Every structure is written in structure tokens, then in C-alpha cells.
């Protein structure tokens, strides 16, 4: 191995600056470090058998295990790859392990006089299961070899380590939690991407509203928190924290445009004169930049201007109102994807015949598959493939429930529209305006049609079909939830997140019929009409199915996506947001939610943000959420029809008794 012991970190002939056994000063740290998420960092390996440590040159040794295997143990990379999972277990999970692996990162605090004070943070990888004694030993070993003038804090890498450290004195092992370290990060990636465009910076909602009609495809819109009805533009910038699972970021993901939190935007705008200027905007997981361009670039219209979304022909005949549990995925042509997926969820839970292991069965080079990891998560180590499939189905059925309710088919919407000559005439005018691209009248025509739909009497046949199908749900003044299930949402390349209405406070026949009309009318909102027109979805082909569900009181509600939205190559983690009460509070930006990443391969979870509450959820609740995350990953195998790696977007709630109900399962637009 390379031994470079001088403070300058002089490389050997191969260019490797790796140091073994030396004390760490700030100059040596800087010589060896790389940069991640804007912070210098250095990989370290403590060899307990040799009573020494290795400071890895980040540019030469990007992976701890490769370095240990090849430079310490004399293995070849082929030998390592042949048994990679077992090797990982020996260095990350064995309580008697020889090596302690971690990362040192350099941060700064602002002192009272405005000066900056550097400090170091030590952490392991997220899958590491170090117990309290190992964490203490690791910290003290590093503390004894780092410049004493630099404060050193230990950051638990997962919830398990947090619990282990509870038995260790803060004075002996000073620590910092992830959300404490990064909660005030100046810039945060929400959706990676790059764009050139004109920056439009609005400091208030009123400023935005006054200029919204002028915004176009070449604009990059910046404001404290973008509204859900923001038009399709080149990029988004938020100046206050939001979650990656907000409606606006789901739109950014679906539209493949960059989105980030840039808290120092006001200073950048004033310093560089960016408001109204042409800029290059680049969002990466580890860096976010905004650079002024010397002149307007020769922009070409974005690909989505030529994008055409194909929707299947809606079936408007012979489709009755059906209980959700009677639907299957193939029924989306009559009831919409959202309703059909809830029916499919009932089938998965009731039949337990679906193969929920295909995500784990895929090759993940150099691993042939992840089935051994799944077996460990399910407590079925060594199980046959058949037993593993059965165990996965059992785990899902034991963990989550599907909503009770009914689905109203497109046919009822069609009957309602054709019952009114005034509606037919208004739709004809709107179609003509769309064909002529008369955008100056499209919005007013849409608004007039919405008003007319909400005030048009429901034909008796349609009203009886709706109220008669939910007589049991309406009993005793029970509260209902009415949701959209259009054939123009949850499509590849067109998620329609937040575009259509839901009504969550429905009681009695009259409110139910009003709510159904409101959901139907949302299909004609100016924004939804414009967005569909942009991607070539014809008004003639667009219909609204409706889901009527029994309201379930929630102690906790949220959204999970079966991926890491800001790191698309990450196949391990599921991103989960939650807040007390309804899931809608997560996606509509009412509150900043708790945010978690759960590793569904090696296990474990970590807190990303504690949100508006200011404190983390209890450990028992976080453990339950880890089970929900695993269930989401298993369902991904079934619902992602063409590719098991395609992520799902799942809305869920947890009752006060601790039962999980899934209220929506749809593709996640990435």
C-alpha cells in the first residue's frame, strides 16, 4: 500500500496520496479530499488488527471495500465481485469486524462575530450496523488522531445507530443528527437537470399572479414556493424549503426540468443582476449553480413541444358502477388508472398470487440478484424462490389495506355531458379555440364550462346510479372522499399530479353529487386544458372516472416513492414523507413534512428532515414506516408493468391504531 506521511500529501509515482498511520491536519485533509454536496470529504479505514488507520486519496480510491480487498488483503477485484455481499457483510455488519469504515467531512459554523469556525463530522455508510461500543471506539480512535483544534462530531448514519448511541454520553461522543447538519442547507437538489432560460424572480405570490400569463417555455420561474398551477416552463427555483414529493416537484420530474431550493437566490440576483437575465441553471445532487449568460442563447423549443402522449380509447358503454375490489388493472379503459390500480391492489392483497419479488430478482452487477437481501428483510434466509414469493405476498397483505369504495365509469361522465345542449355547445367552442390555438379565449371558455358543469342538474339515471351504489357508505352520515380517476393522468410522460380535484368532506346524497360534478369539472380547468393540449391529448378522448371512498381518520399520512428522487442511480432507497393527518398536506405544501430514506436492500433508515414539527417521530413509528417502505418496493414489482425498476408513487395513511391504508398507487414520473 502507499505510505505518504508528509503534510503536503505528496503523491507516489502512481499519483496516489493515500496515507497510512499519520495524524490528520487540515492541510492533509484538503490534499486528500474530494467534494460531495458542497463539502470536502475524506474516506477513512481503521484497521483494528493492525492498530492503524488509512486515509484514502478520494480521487484514486472511490470505494472503501475495493481498497481494503485489493490494497490491504491482496485480493483481485474479480475475487471481490464473486462474493461481494458476503464481503460487505464482514465490514459493515459483523459485530466483531476487523475494519471500521467511515467518511470525514468538513463543515463550518458561523461565530457570533461573523467569522467561520471549521469542524469535522465522522459518519459510516447508511447500511452500517455498528453497535454502541464500536461507534464509540471508532470516534475515539479518530478523535485521537485529528488536529485537536478541529471539533469532531459523530453523525449516526441510520436510525439503528441513533438508538445505539442513546447509551453513550454526549460528552464522551459528541454527535450531530443529519437533519441538524443539513436542515439549513443553502442549496438543495429537488430534481436534477440543466436548462438555459430567462430567470423570472417573484418575491411574492401577488407578483407571480400578475405576470403568470406572460410566462413561456423558455422561462425559469423562481419564487418562495411555486404554486401547483405553475405552467410548463424551463425550470423551477424555490427559495424556501419544500419536499421532493410536492406536487410541483412531481411535475418537474415528469417534465424533466431542473428544480432546487436556493435560499441565497436574493443575494445572487442582487449581486449578478439575474432577474430577467438569461442564465444557465444546473442542478446536481452535489451542486447547484446559476450562471448569467452574456446574451440570449439560440434556444430551440424543448422536446415536449413536439411530445405527443397517446391515450387509449375510453370505453363509454356497458360499464357499471363497481366496488373497487371488483376492478382489475385492465379496467382502466373504463374507470381510469387510479381506480383500476386500487382494484388491482385489492386483488394482490386478497389472492396473494402476484409475484412481488421481480425487482429483487433483477441482476445488479456484480451481483446476480438481490434475492438474498430480500430473504433477510423478510426473515426467510435460505428460502426457496417459491417460499420467498409467498412470504413477500404475506408481508404485503399483513402490512397494508386497500380502501373500500366504488368506481364511477367514464360512461356516467359521458351521459352527463350529452344530457345538456349547453354543455355540448360550450365544449364545441372550446374545441374550436384549441384547434385555432386562440389562447386569449381558451381560459375564459374553460372557466365558463366549469361553472356550467357545476350548476347543470344531474340526469336522474346518472344520479341514481351514483347514490344507489354507495348507499352503505352514506349510512349514518358517514364522511366520504371523492377523487379523480381520469384517462388523462398517471400516464408515461404525463402524470397530471395536482391538476384534477379531490373533495374530502362529503356527507349525504346532495354533497356527493356536487362533489362528483366538481371532479368532472376539473377536467376542464384552464390549466388542465392547456397542459393536455401541449402534449396532443384531444378533448374528445378525455373523460373522468371518479372514486368514492369511505373517509378513514388518519393519525399520520403521507406519500412514498419507491426511489430516491434526487439520486436516480440509487436502487436501494425508498423516499417517504409524512405529517400528522391527511396525505394531502404533504403534497400541497401546507406543511413541511418529516422526510425519510429507507434502504430496502440492506435494511435501515435515516431521517432527512423533521419538517415543520421540529422533532423526529418516535422510534417505534419509524420502524413501522420502514415496513411500509419495504411493502412499497414489493408492490413495485407488480404494478410497474414493463420494467420492475419503474418507481411507484403511493399515497398512504396510518390510523391511530397503527394500520396502514393505501389510498393511491400510480407510476412515479421520473
Amino acid at each position: 500500500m502507499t505510505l505518504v506521511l508528509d503534510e503536503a500529501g505528496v503523491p507516489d509515482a502512481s499519483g496516489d496520496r493515500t496515507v497510512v498511520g499519520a495524524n490528520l491536519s487540515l492541510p492533509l485533509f484538503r490534499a486528500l479530499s474530494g467534494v460531495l454536496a458542497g463539502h470536502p470529504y475524506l474516506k477513512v479505514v481503521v484497521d483494528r488488527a493492525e492498530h492503524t488507520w488509512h486515509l484514502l486519496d478520494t480521487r484514486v480510491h472511490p470505494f472503501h471495500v475495493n481498497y481494503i480487498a485489493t490494497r490491504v488483503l491482496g485480493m483481485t477485484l474479480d475475487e471481490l465481485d464473486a462474493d461481494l455481499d458476503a464481503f460487505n457483510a464482514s465490514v459493515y455488519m459483523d459485530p466483531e469486524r476487523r475494519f471500521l469504515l467511515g467518511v470525514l467531512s468538513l463543515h463550518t459554523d458561523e461565530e457570533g462575530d461573523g467569522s467561520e469556525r471549521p469542524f469535522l463530522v465522522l459518519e459510516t455508510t447508511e447500511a452500517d450496523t455498528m453497535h454502541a461500543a464500536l461507534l464509540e471506539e471508532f470516534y475515539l480512535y479518530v478523535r485521537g488522531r485529528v488536529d485537536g483544534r478541529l471539533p469532531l462530531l459523530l453523525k449516526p448514519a441510520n436510525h439503528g445507530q441513533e438508538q445505539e448511541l442513546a447509551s453513550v454520553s454526549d460528552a464522551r461522543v459528541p454527535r450531530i443528527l443529519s437533519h441538524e447538519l443539513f436542515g439549513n442547507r443553502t442549496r438543495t437538489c429537488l430534481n436534477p437537470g440543466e436548462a438555459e432560460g430567462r430567470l423570472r424572480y417573484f418575491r411574492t405570490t401577488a407578483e407571480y399572479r400578475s405576470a403568470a400569463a406572460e410566462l413561456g417555455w423558455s422561462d425559469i420561474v423562481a419564487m418562495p414556493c411555486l404554486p401547483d398551477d405553475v405552467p410548463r416552463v424551463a425550470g423551477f427555483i424555490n427559495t424556501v424549503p419544500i419536499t421532493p414529493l410536492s406536487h410541483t416537484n412531481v411535475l418537474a420530474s415528469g417534465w424533466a426540468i431542473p428544480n432546487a431550493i436556493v435560499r441565497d437566490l436574493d443575494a445572487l440576483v442582487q449581486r449578478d443582476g439575474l432577474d430577467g437575465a438569461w442564465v444557465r441553471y444546473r442542478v446536481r445532487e452535489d451542486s447547484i449553480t446559476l450562471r448569467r449568460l452574456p446574451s440570449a442563447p439560440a434556444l430551440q423549443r424543448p422536446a415536449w413541444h413536439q411530445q405527443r402522449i397517446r391515450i387509449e380509447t375510453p370505453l363509454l358503454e356497458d360499464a357499471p358502477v363497481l366496488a373497487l375490489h371488483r376492478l382489475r388493472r385492465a379496467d382502466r379503459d373504463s374507470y381510469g388508472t387510479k381506480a383500476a390500480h386500487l382494484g388491482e391492489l385489492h386483488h394482490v392483497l386478497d389472492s396473494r398470487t402476484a409475484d412481488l419479488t421481480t425487482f429483487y430478482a433483477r441482476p445488479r452487477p456484480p451481483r446476480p440478484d438481490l434475492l438474498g437481501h430480500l430473504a433477510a428483510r423478510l426473515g426467510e434466509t435460505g428460502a426457496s424462490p417459491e417460499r420467498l414469493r409467498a412470504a413477500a405476498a404475506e408481508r404485503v397483505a399483513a402490512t397494508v389495506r386497500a380502501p373500500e369504495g366504488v368506481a364511477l365509469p367514464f360512461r356516467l361522465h359521458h351521459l352527463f355531458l350529452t344530457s345538456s345542449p349547453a354543455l355540448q355547445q360550450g365544449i364545441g367552442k372550446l374545441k374550436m379555440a384549441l384547434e385555432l390555438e386562440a389562447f386569449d379565449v381558451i381560459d375564459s371558455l374553460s372557466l365558463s364550462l366549469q361553472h356550467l358543469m357545476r350548476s347543470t342538474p344531474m340526469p336522474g339515471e346518472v344520479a341514481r346510479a351514483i347514490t344507489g351504489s354507495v348507499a352503505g357508505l352514506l349510512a349514518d352520515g358517514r364522511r366520504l372522499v371523492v377523487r379523480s380517476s381520469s384517462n388523462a393522468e398517471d400516464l408515461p410522460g404525463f402524470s397530471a399530479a395536482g391538476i384534477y380535484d379531490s373533495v374530502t368532506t362529503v356527507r349525504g346524497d346532495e354533497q356527493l353529487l356536487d362533489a362528483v360534478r366538481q371532479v368532472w369539472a376539473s377536467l376542464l380547468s384552464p390549466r388542465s386544458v392547456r397542459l393536455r393540449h401541449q402534449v396532443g391529448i384531444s378533448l374528445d378522448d378525455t373523460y373522468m372516472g371518479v372514486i368514492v371512498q369511505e373517509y378513514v381518520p388518519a393519525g399520520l399520512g403521507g406519500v412514498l416513492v419507491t426511489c430516491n428522487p434526487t439520486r436516480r442511480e440509487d436502487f436501494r432507497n425508498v423516499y417517504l414523507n409524512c405529517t400528522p393527518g391527511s396525505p394531502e398536506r404533504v403534497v400541497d405544501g401546507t406543511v413541511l413534512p418529516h422526510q425519510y430514506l429507507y434502504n430496502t436492500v440492506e435494511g435501515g433508515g435515516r431521517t432527512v428532515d423533521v419538517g415543520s414539527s421540529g422533532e423526529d417521530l418516535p422510534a417505534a413509528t419509524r420502524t413501522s414506516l420502514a415496513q411500509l417502505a419495504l411493502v412499497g418496493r414489493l408492490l413495485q414489482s407488480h404494478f410497474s408493468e414493463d420494467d420492475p425498476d419503474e418507481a411507484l408513487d403511493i399515497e398512504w395513511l396510518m390510523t391511530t391504531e397503527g394500520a396502514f391504508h393505501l389510498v393511491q398507487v400510480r407510476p412515479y414520473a421520473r
Side-chain angles (χ1 to χ4, degrees):
M1 67 190 70
T2 304
L3 299 179
V4 182
L5 302 180
D6 61 88
E7 288 292 275
V10 177
D12 68 3
S14 69
D16 189 352
R17 298 171 182 261
T18 295
V19 174
V20 180
N23 288 339
L24 181 63
S25 65
L26 196 53
L28 182 57
F29 177 94
R30 294 190 184 281
L32 296 172
S33 65
V35 177
L36 181 64
H39 298 282
Y41 79 101
L42 173 65
K43 291 183 173 65
V44 301
V45 174
V46 172
D47 186 339
R48 301 170 75 201
E50 297 293 331
H51 305 290
T52 191
W53 72 333
H54 303 242
L55 309 177
L56 308 191
D57 185 342
T58 304
R59 287 152 291 201
V60 180
H61 303 293
F63 302 108
H64 287 96
V65 292
N66 287 16
Y67 175 82
I68 294 170
T70 60
R71 304 297 290 272
V72 180
L73 301 180
M75 299 169 61
T76 66
L77 286 178
D78 286 343
E79 290 172 330
L80 172 64
D81 288 348
D83 205 13
L84 181 61
D85 286 332
F87 191 91
N88 281 340
S90 74
V91 295
Y92 292 125
M93 299 170 190
D94 186 347
E96 304 299 329
R97 69 191 74 174
R98 171 180 170 180
F99 300 103
L100 305 179
L101 283 58
V103 171
L104 278 167
S105 55
L106 182 64
H107 303 260
T108 56
D109 262 344
E110 187 173 317
E111 301 280 23
D113 60 2
S115 62
E116 290 189 338
R117 177 182 68 102
F119 67 97
L120 290 171
V121 173
L122 175 66
E123 63 182 304
T124 71
T125 65
E126 64 181 31
D128 199 300
T129 61
M130 280 192 199
H131 52 70
L134 279 182
L135 288 166
E136 182 176 355
E137 177 186 338
F138 191 28
Y139 173 84
L140 294 176
Y141 188 98
V142 174
R143 173 69 283 177
R145 288 155 182 81
V146 169
D147 187 332
R149 293 169 294 180
L150 285 173
L152 176 66
L153 302 175
L154 180 67
K155 180 165 82 69
N158 51 54
H159 293 148
Q161 289 187 4
E162 287 182 33
Q163 291 177 290
E164 287 290 324
L165 282 171
S167 63
V168 180
S169 163
D170 283 351
R172 185 164 176 78
V173 180
R175 69 206 66 169
I176 189 169
L177 300 180
S178 180
H179 66 266
E180 295 170 335
L181 183 63
F182 296 119
N184 294 315
R185 184 183 291 172
T186 303
R187 301 180 191 178
T188 304
C189 169
L190 294 172
N191 193 61
E194 185 172 342
E196 292 184 345
R198 184 180 53 163
L199 182 67
R200 303 294 303 276
Y201 180 28
F202 306 107
R203 291 168 176 80
T204 67
T205 302
E207 285 183 13
Y208 166 80
R209 292 296 178 197
S210 68
E214 308 167 3
L215 297 175
W217 61 267
S218 61
D219 290 322
I220 296 170
V221 179
M223 60 187 297
C225 188
L226 283 91
D228 284 353
D229 62 356
V230 64
R232 197 164 188 174
V233 291
F236 295 158
I237 301 175
N238 300 266
T239 60
V240 299
I242 67 166
T243 168
L245 301 190
S246 66
H247 274 152
T248 50
N249 197 55
V250 172
L251 291 174
S253 179
W255 294 342
I257 62 174
N259 188 18
I261 301 166
V262 182
R263 291 185 172 186
D264 60 341
L265 182 66
D266 201 64
L268 294 178
V269 166
Q270 292 187 41
R271 186 190 71 192
D272 299 331
L274 297 182
D275 192 11
W278 292 94
V279 299
R280 178 176 293 115
Y281 175 39
R282 180 176 295 168
V283 177
R284 298 287 185 269
E285 183 191 15
D286 59 352
S287 68
I288 296 157
T289 57
L290 202 59
R291 300 280 185 262
R292 181 167 182 157
L293 299 173
S295 59
L299 295 177
Q300 294 184 341
R301 285 181 174 268
W304 59 262
H305 261 268
Q306 289 77 45
Q307 181 185 24
R308 288 297 175 262
I309 299 297
R310 178 183 173 274
I311 64 174
E312 297 171 347
T313 303
L315 302 181
L316 304 176
E317 299 178 356
D318 303 325
V321 178
L322 284 181
L324 288 174
H325 70 265
R326 294 181 60 192
L327 295 180
R328 295 295 303 276
R329 185 159 38 193
D331 291 316
R332 60 190 170 204
D333 294 346
S334 297
Y335 300 88
T337 300
K338 196 178 295 182
H341 275 195
L342 289 178
E344 189 72 17
L345 177 62
H346 273 281
H347 171 74
V348 169
L349 299 181
D350 294 341
S351 72
R352 305 189 186 186
T353 58
D355 183 359
L356 305 179
T357 67
T358 56
F359 172 87
Y360 290 90
R362 296 197 76 171
R364 309 284 174 179
R367 304 167 181 84
D369 57 58
L370 300 175
L371 291 173
H373 289 285
L374 175 58
R377 303 282 71 75
L378 296 175
E380 295 283 347
T381 302
S384 67
E386 294 77 14
R387 175 56 203 152
L388 201 55
R389 286 194 290 270
E394 291 164 4
R395 175 65 60 86
V396 170
T399 305
V400 299
R401 302 176 187 176
E404 298 299 328
V406 300
L408 310 184
F410 301 150
R411 180 178 65 87
L412 294 185
H413 183 208
H414 176 68
L415 290 174
F416 174 71
L417 293 176
T418 56
S419 72
S420 168
L423 281 173
Q424 290 296 295
Q425 183 181 24
I427 290 171
K429 289 180 180 178
L430 180 58
K431 287 164 55 179
M432 180 64 70
L434 289 168
E435 289 174 12
L436 297 175
E437 297 198 337
F439 295 117
D440 55 330
V441 299
I442 286 172
D443 286 6
S444 61
L445 287 173
S446 297
L447 290 170
S448 296
L449 267 172
Q450 284 193 284
H451 176 74
L452 183 59
M453 285 191 72
R454 287 192 288 262
S455 60
T456 296
M458 191 85 74
E461 173 191 0
V462 175
R464 287 190 296 273
I466 295 171
T467 58
S469 66
V470 294
L473 294 178
L474 286 168
D476 306 321
R478 246 177 278 175
R479 179 175 167 183
L480 303 180
V481 176
V482 178
R483 299 179 181 274
S484 69
S485 183
S486 168
N487 66 334
E489 61 182 316
D490 302 336
L491 302 172
F494 191 77
S495 74
I499 292 176
Y500 305 124
D501 285 356
S502 293
V503 186
T504 62
T505 56
V506 176
R507 285 187 170 90
D509 288 1
E510 187 174 334
Q511 287 188 12
L512 173 61
L513 296 180
D514 286 345
V516 171
R517 274 193 294 258
Q518 179 178 333
V519 172
W520 283 342
S522 67
L523 200 65
L524 292 170
S525 71
R527 180 167 181 252
S528 69
V529 168
R530 282 174 174 266
L531 288 176
R532 291 195 305 271
H533 180 70
Q534 287 173 348
V535 297
I537 297 177
S538 169
L539 194 60
D540 283 333
D541 295 332
T542 308
Y543 283 89
M544 180 67 78
V546 177
I547 302 165
V548 183
Q549 299 171 214
E550 182 176 6
Y551 171 77
V552 178
L556 196 67
V559 180
L560 68 84
V561 292
T562 57
C563 65
N564 182 345
T566 63
R567 192 174 171 215
R568 295 175 181 177
E569 69 275 16
D570 179 3
F571 61 82
R572 290 175 163 82
N573 284 293
V574 162
Y575 196 78
L576 186 149
N577 286 188
C578 60
T579 191
S582 166
E584 281 79 8
R585 301 178 71 209
V586 169
V587 295
D588 67 10
T590 304
V591 297
L592 189 64
H594 289 85
Q595 300 173 46
Y596 300 100
L597 278 168
Y598 285 103
N599 186 326
T600 58
V601 178
E602 289 89 1
R606 53 195 168 102
T607 303
V608 177
D609 200 306
V610 295
S612 302
S613 72
E615 60 183 30
D616 210 345
L617 293 172
T621 302
R622 299 198 308 257
T623 299
S624 295
L625 293 177
Q627 291 302 312
L628 178 64
L630 177 61
V631 164
R633 178 70 82 198
L634 293 171
L635 289 173
Q636 178 181 334
S637 290
H638 182 72
F639 281 94
S640 301
E641 300 175 62
D642 299 324
D643 181 356
D645 278 350
E646 290 298 321
L648 294 182
D649 175 341
I650 298 174
E651 284 190 23
W652 56 271
L653 59 87
M654 185 172 72
T655 66
T656 53
E657 292 78 27
F660 287 112
H661 292 247
L662 307 189
V663 297
Q664 178 176 281
V665 179
R666 65 180 180 182
Y668 177 63
R670 297 184 68 188

